[in-house]
């Protein structure tokens, strides 16, 4: 059996492949699967931990203007108090960015109350720069607008940005010493748009990550369903025939030991074939042949004491031939197990296969039944065909799979 790697092709399965040091193959684990392939590189520690600090800090260059004004201010309490407030203001903005980034990574939205608290703290720190920076403190409004986009819901953020953007136009009217800042108005608006784009990019990346996780989960579920369907189709039929032949050999053993020996040999052959089928199925290389299934059906029905009318050969092109093979296997298994029939007729046409008996087996709807019928329905739908089960007038149970020619 081989395990396929998407980058290296077939890789030998088993313990040796797990510890193969020569070609770099390592098991890459996904919940519910055992996949072999080259080791997935771990994310750089910088991008895990330092990227947020870099992206948040790169915008602090806007604070150069109030920083220069504070440094040129005459020494004293006002200068150092304002300088401390500026450092705390910049640190607060970076922490807001990191906090909202973590919230997005954890697929959570900041609460409105928490967002307002962050904005309030940032605004207070910005106002604390007033003694040393004077009117240049308004540069901090750029960061307050960007923070509003990060921590508030969209509608509330629009209102907050509009209010903040109006301040460079209104405050100089109230405080004549402060310069009228038209450029600052546009900087605030552009910063808000830029931060909106950053938050949307983070959201989209998180959604893409969640979608990839869901795709992986669905792929695992689909593979499990396929494996369960294939194993049911293989083991259900083979074990049913082995059970029937074992019962027949037990009855024949006292009076016809030679024929009982033949049945035991058939059981051994069937067991070996079933084991080989399982190995091929696990390796995803299993194929079924319609003529072989017809011959196996004839043998199983005969061993069960059911009169069989089965064609010797059938010329059906693929992929219908494979689908009809599974239909014959499932239909005959149900006849032997459940029908209580004395006669079974298998009809094969280029566009359909039908298994009918004269028994009193259960009638199931096409979408119902056990896992065998459900798996056969899925196979038929995958080929653009249709599964029909029920009773025909004057007959017993009928299973039909048809595919448009």
């Amino acid at each position: 059996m081989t395990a396929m790697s998407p980058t290296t092709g077939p890789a030998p399965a088993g313990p040796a492949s797990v510890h193969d040091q020569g070609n770099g193959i390592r098991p890459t684990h996904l919940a519910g699967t055992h996949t072999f392939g080259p080791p997935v590189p771990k994310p750089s520690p910088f991008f895990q931990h330092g990227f947020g600090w870099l992206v948040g800090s790169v915008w602090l260059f806007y604070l150069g203007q109030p920083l220069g004004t504070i440094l040129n201010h005459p020494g004293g309490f006002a200068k150092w108090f304002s300088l401390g407030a500026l450092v705390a203001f910049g640190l607060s903005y970076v922490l807001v960015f990191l906090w909202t980034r973590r919230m997005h990574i954890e697929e959570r939205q900041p609460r409105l109350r928490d967002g307002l608290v962050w904005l309030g703290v940032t605004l207070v720190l910005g106002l604390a720069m007033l003694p040393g920076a004077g009117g240049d403190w308004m540069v901090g409004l750029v960061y307050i607008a960007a923070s509003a986009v990060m921590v508030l819901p969209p509608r509330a953020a629009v209102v907050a940005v509009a209010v903040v953007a109006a301040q460079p136009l209104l405050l100089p009217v109230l405080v004549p010493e402060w310069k009228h800042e038209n450029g600052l108005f546009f900087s605030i608006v552009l910063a808000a748009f830029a931060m909106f784009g950053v938050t949307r990019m983070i959201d989209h990346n998180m959604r893409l990550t969640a979608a990839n996780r869901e795709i992986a989960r669905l792929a695992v579920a689909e593979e499990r369903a396929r494996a369960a369907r294939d194993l049911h189709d293989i083991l259900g039929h083979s074990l049913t025939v082995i059970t029937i032949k074992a019962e027949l050999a037990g009855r024949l053993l006292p009076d016809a030991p030679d024929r009982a020996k033949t049945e035991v040999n058939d059981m051994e052959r069937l067991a070996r074939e079933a084991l080989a089928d399982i190995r091929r199925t696990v390796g995803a290389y299993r194929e079924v042949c319609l003529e072989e299934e017809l011959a196996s059906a004839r043998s199983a029905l005969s061993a069960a004491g059911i009169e069989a009318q089965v064609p010797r050969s059938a010329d059906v092109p693929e992929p219908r031939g494979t689908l009809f093979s599974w239909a014959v296997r499932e239909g005959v298994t149900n006849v032997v197990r459940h029908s209580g029939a004395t006669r079974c007729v298998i009809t094969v046409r280029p566009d359909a296969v039908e298994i009918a008996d004269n028994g009193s087996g259960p009638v199931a709807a096409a979408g119902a039944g056990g896992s065998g019928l459900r798996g056969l329905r899925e196979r038929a739908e995958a080929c653009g065909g249709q599964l029909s089960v029920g009773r025909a007038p004057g007959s017993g149970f009928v299973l039909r799979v048809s595919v448009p020619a």
Side-chain angles (χ1 to χ4, degrees):
M1 184 180 70
T2 60
M4 296 298 293
S5 165
T7 56
T8 61
S17 65
V18 177
H19 303 288
D20 186 355
Q21 302 290 337
N23 57 11
I25 300 297
R26 295 291 187 277
T28 55
H29 298 295
L30 180 66
T33 64
H34 298 282
T35 305
F36 292 87
V40 178
K42 294 182 178 180
S44 166
F46 169 75
F47 284 99
Q48 283 186 306
H49 306 291
F51 184 69
W53 284 97
L54 176 63
V55 175
S57 302
V58 72
W59 297 99
L60 296 181
F61 71 89
Y62 274 111
L63 293 178
Q65 182 177 344
L67 176 62
T69 304
I70 293 173
L71 293 178
N72 291 329
H73 193 276
F77 174 79
K79 176 179 180 177
W80 298 111
F81 178 80
S82 299
L83 185 61
L86 183 144
V87 172
F89 179 87
L91 182 61
S92 172
Y93 169 75
V94 174
L95 291 177
V96 168
F97 182 87
L98 294 175
W99 175 61
T100 53
R101 179 171 176 263
R102 176 171 293 277
M103 295 287 283
H104 284 292
I105 290 175
E106 295 175 355
E107 299 180 1
R108 295 188 294 150
Q109 292 296 328
R111 293 186 301 178
L112 178 61
R113 184 182 65 182
D114 295 339
L116 293 175
V117 169
W118 274 110
L119 289 179
V121 171
T122 307
L123 178 60
V124 169
L125 292 174
L127 292 172
M129 293 187 286
L130 265 171
D136 287 341
W137 82 272
M138 288 189 295
V139 171
L141 295 173
V142 174
Y143 300 91
I144 295 175
S147 299
V149 173
M150 288 189 287
V151 301
L152 297 180
R155 292 184 180 179
V158 170
V159 174
V161 170
V163 172
V164 171
Q167 301 312 305
L169 305 179
L170 297 177
L171 291 179
V173 176
L174 302 176
V175 185
E177 297 83 16
W178 295 353
K179 297 179 182 178
H180 199 74
E181 295 284 358
N182 288 329
L184 187 56
F185 167 82
F186 290 107
S187 296
I188 291 173
V189 174
L190 290 176
F193 273 113
M195 191 52 63
F196 177 81
V198 170
T199 55
R200 296 287 77 76
M201 179 186 69
I202 294 175
D203 280 340
H204 290 161
N205 286 341
M206 294 305 104
R207 291 178 183 177
L208 180 60
T209 301
N212 287 337
R213 286 200 299 267
E214 180 66 11
I215 291 172
R217 186 190 67 80
L218 292 175
V220 170
E222 175 64 22
E223 184 62 18
R224 285 174 175 167
R226 185 196 68 82
R229 182 184 64 204
D230 287 352
L231 290 176
H232 171 275
D233 292 344
I234 295 167
L235 292 180
H237 175 80
S238 299
L239 293 180
T240 297
V241 176
I242 290 173
T243 301
I244 296 297
K245 285 185 174 290
E247 294 174 353
L248 178 59
R251 293 195 302 267
L252 293 174
L253 190 58
D255 302 321
D258 291 338
R259 187 177 172 192
K261 182 179 179 180
T262 301
E263 297 297 334
V264 171
N265 291 335
D266 283 347
M267 284 191 291
E268 180 183 0
R269 176 182 57 80
L270 287 170
R272 293 183 182 278
E273 289 177 355
L275 181 59
D277 284 345
I278 291 174
R279 287 173 174 167
R280 288 195 296 268
T281 299
V282 173
Y285 295 117
R286 186 177 189 278
E287 295 182 358
V288 292
C289 173
L290 182 54
E291 292 191 357
E292 291 179 2
E293 291 303 323
L294 292 174
S296 177
R298 190 180 301 107
S299 174
L301 292 170
S302 175
I306 300 174
E307 180 186 349
Q309 183 176 330
V310 182
R312 292 286 176 183
S313 61
D315 184 15
V316 179
E318 296 295 340
R320 277 176 285 166
T322 299
L323 173 61
F324 290 178
S325 300
W326 289 116
V328 169
R329 172 170 288 204
E330 176 63 22
V332 171
T333 300
N334 287 337
V335 170
V336 173
R337 277 182 174 176
H338 309 300
S339 70
T342 59
R343 186 170 184 269
C344 177
V345 178
I346 299 178
T347 306
V348 180
R349 300 193 303 271
D351 61 343
V353 61
E354 179 179 288
I355 301 92
D357 62 59
N358 63 349
S360 56
V363 179
S371 58
L373 289 178
R374 183 167 58 251
L376 185 58
R377 176 174 58 83
E378 292 171 356
R379 294 180 192 274
E381 291 175 351
C383 293
Q386 188 178 49
L387 167 67
S388 303
V389 292
R391 293 192 182 280
S395 179
F397 190 78
V398 178
L399 183 150
R400 180 185 300 108
V401 173
S402 56
V403 180

